[in-house]
Amino acid sequence: MSEGQKQIILTGDRPTGRLHLGHYVGSLKRRVELQNSGKFDEINILIADDQALTDNADNPGKIRENIINVVLDYLSVGLDPEKTTICVQSALPALHALTFYYLNLVTTARLSRNPTVKAEIQMRGFADEGLPAGFFTYPVSQAADITAFDATVVPVGEDQLPMIEQTREIVEKFNKTYGETLVLPKAMIPENETQRRLPGVDGKAKMSKSLGNCIYLSDDAKTVKKQVNGKMFTDPQHLRIEDPGHTEGNVVFTYLDALCTDEHFVRYLPDYANLEEMKEHYRRGGLGDGTTKKFLISVLNDILDPIRTVRAHWENDIDTVYDIIQTGTAKAVERTNATLARVRKAMRINYFEDRSIVKEWERLLREAKQ
Ligand code: TRP
């Protein structure tokens, strides 16, 4: 395949809310590193507003509102529109057409087995209320997203692995049925275990808007302090400072594991050279939760301050932000239309590309008469 050599990234987010620290450590930070590594021929980020509609059909206003929040989050963390194409899914008609063709290459039984979708169905109460067919099939639309860009690498969180698996199966089925056409993508998930799934500030498995346990990239310092001091539990057995403490299952340390560097110690807590030394002291006894939380707050603000500064700049120039996504989307329209043309050609349903089919039809009619 001609694209085989090129390294192309496609990833995306549903615009259903502002992005939070979980998104940052699990994916955004990595995207910026990949963007700046210079190792990729193309980086595309999709604002998946169509996918967001699959469980928000009654509330398109929420998605409309969050498109700008998500783009501001992207720009704030350092995604650079000169290097990364940011585009809006609903404005890419090729994705709709591809989804429609791919739906014929998967079975409902296969879709029912997707563990992430299964969990989401439970969470949203669709098991009782009735399951929207669009939601049930969104992994197929995600396969369209990925293949439309000829993506070779899809950086995502762990929960997205079933989508990439499904995409690979669709690619294999397509290529087997219609000839080598689509590029087989690979998932890329965070190496660091704690970065794969940052818990909420309350220790619950995931940051979620409805649980109020998020730290948003757009939160101010006061809010961050309130979340850490008010909602983070440490070690319930660590009552007095002198008591030995547990660092496992202690949310403050889980966050430090995911976020802090030795440099942070130099700057904010020079008593220790690194996190391991600090943990040893905590386990031994003599290190108070006030100190660990204060350090974590410094680390958080150290990460968030530059993000806040860049955000403030873009918030004052929404006109330019609009131009950025309009330009990115226009580029993505071309990109994905080219893939759709290739797909239709492989399926031999490209009837109106030229008139060669007229000859073919004439021949078939002639042969039928003989
Ligand atoms: N399903 C992804 C999520 O919920 C968002 C998404 C849509 C995506 N299309 C994508 C991710 C394509 C990677 C590639 O986060």
Side-chain angles (χ1 to χ4, degrees):
M1 214 165 307
S2 56
E3 285 83 1
Q5 298 311 105
K6 278 199 175 175
Q7 288 301 311
I8 298 173
I9 286 182
L10 181 274
T11 186
D13 301 278
R14 296 181 197 168
T16 52
R18 292 169 179 246
L19 301 180
H20 52 60
L21 208 60
H23 294 116
Y24 181 74
V25 300
S27 129
L28 294 172
K29 189 166 167 244
R30 186 71 174 284
R31 290 184 201 173
V32 177
E33 285 161 13
L34 294 171
Q35 169 194 269
N36 296 336
S37 74
K39 286 192 187 139
F40 292 87
D41 297 289
E42 239 184 69
I43 304 180
N44 304 286
I45 300 188
L46 185 72
I47 301 173
D49 62 329
D50 280 336
Q51 188 177 114
L53 272 174
T54 64
D55 63 337
N56 287 287
D58 56 347
N59 199 0
K62 169 172 148 190
I63 291 152
R64 189 178 162 86
E65 173 186 342
N66 281 304
I67 289 176
I68 187 64
N69 283 326
V70 169
V71 181
L72 286 170
D73 286 327
Y74 287 164
L75 297 172
S76 310
V77 298
L79 287 169
D80 173 358
E82 296 288 318
K83 299 179 186 152
T84 295
T85 304
I86 302 175
C87 59
V88 178
Q89 185 181 35
S90 59
L92 308 177
L95 302 185
H96 305 140
L98 290 174
T99 303
F100 205 60
Y101 302 138
Y102 296 172
L103 279 167
N104 303 322
L105 305 179
V106 296
T107 64
T108 55
R110 173 63 183 88
L111 287 172
S112 307
R113 285 197 299 272
N114 185 310
T116 299
V117 176
K118 264 192 191 166
E120 287 172 332
I121 287 170
Q122 286 309 316
M123 243 156 54
R124 287 160 177 73
F126 287 154
D128 312 318
E129 277 170 28
L131 174 60
F135 186 81
F136 180 61
T137 54
Y138 88 72
V140 181
S141 121
Q142 192 159 333
D145 303 342
I146 295 167
T147 55
F149 288 86
D150 296 316
T152 50
V153 180
V154 188
V156 280
E158 213 174 11
D159 63 327
Q160 295 296 302
L161 287 177
M163 312 308 158
I164 316 303
E165 200 42 51
Q166 178 76 79
T167 302
R168 291 173 59 91
E169 287 174 28
I170 289 172
V171 167
E172 276 162 357
K173 181 92 191 249
F174 189 101
N175 289 347
K176 209 172 116 214
T177 311
Y178 306 110
E180 279 297 313
T181 310
L182 300 174
V183 177
L184 196 64
K186 270 204 192 72
M188 181 191 258
I189 60 172
E191 286 148 25
N192 178 330
E193 190 83 28
T194 53
Q195 296 185 346
R196 286 191 199 161
R197 193 164 284 229
L198 193 73
V201 287
D202 57 358
K204 295 229 171 76
K206 226 177 155 177
M207 285 197 177
S208 118
K209 190 176 177 182
S210 53
L211 294 173
N213 63 358
C214 300
I215 291 176
Y216 292 100
L217 298 177
S218 47
D219 278 345
D220 59 18
K222 206 174 124 209
T223 310
V224 168
K225 191 171 173 188
K226 214 170 95 195
Q227 287 292 68
V228 172
N229 286 336
K231 294 198 182 144
M232 268 195 191
F233 63 81
T234 52
D235 173 5
Q237 283 151 33
H238 186 239
L239 295 175
R240 292 166 306 162
I241 290 182
E242 314 82 76
D243 292 338
H246 292 90
T247 53
E248 302 290 313
N250 181 323
V251 189
V252 176
F253 282 101
T254 308
Y255 273 56
L256 289 174
D257 271 327
L259 300 165
C260 88
T261 61
D262 295 353
E263 180 59 31
H264 287 131
F265 283 95
V266 176
R267 232 173 300 157
Y268 306 114
L269 199 57
D271 294 355
Y272 312 101
N274 53 46
L275 187 56
E276 215 22 67
E277 275 188 31
M278 181 185 177
K279 281 183 177 176
E280 268 164 36
H281 192 186
Y282 192 84
R283 289 194 202 105
R284 221 167 43 236
L287 174 56
D289 290 323
T291 309
T292 64
K293 285 192 172 182
K294 192 162 170 245
F295 176 57
L296 175 60
I297 291 168
S298 303
V299 171
L300 288 170
N301 286 324
D302 187 71
I303 294 166
L304 294 174
D305 271 336
I307 297 176
R308 290 173 184 137
T309 308
V310 181
R311 191 182 180 97
H313 161 81
W314 288 112
E315 276 184 353
N316 285 316
D317 192 6
I318 299 301
D319 254 310
T320 305
V321 178
Y322 180 91
D323 293 340
I324 287 170
I325 55 173
Q326 189 179 39
T327 306
T329 302
K331 200 170 151 197
V333 166
E334 299 297 314
R335 183 77 181 80
T336 54
N337 279 349
T339 306
L340 177 61
R342 219 169 70 224
V343 158
R344 287 198 168 131
K345 190 166 185 191
M347 294 172 73
R348 306 201 61 219
I349 58 173
N350 55 334
Y351 309 117
F352 302 111
E353 212 160 81
D354 55 49
R355 300 182 70 94
S356 62
I357 195 170
V358 172
K359 291 265 168 298
E360 188 181 330
W361 280 337
E362 285 170 349
R363 181 177 50 78
L364 287 169
L365 288 168
R366 240 183 355 257
E367 281 170 12
K369 277 194 191 142
Q370 278 165 11

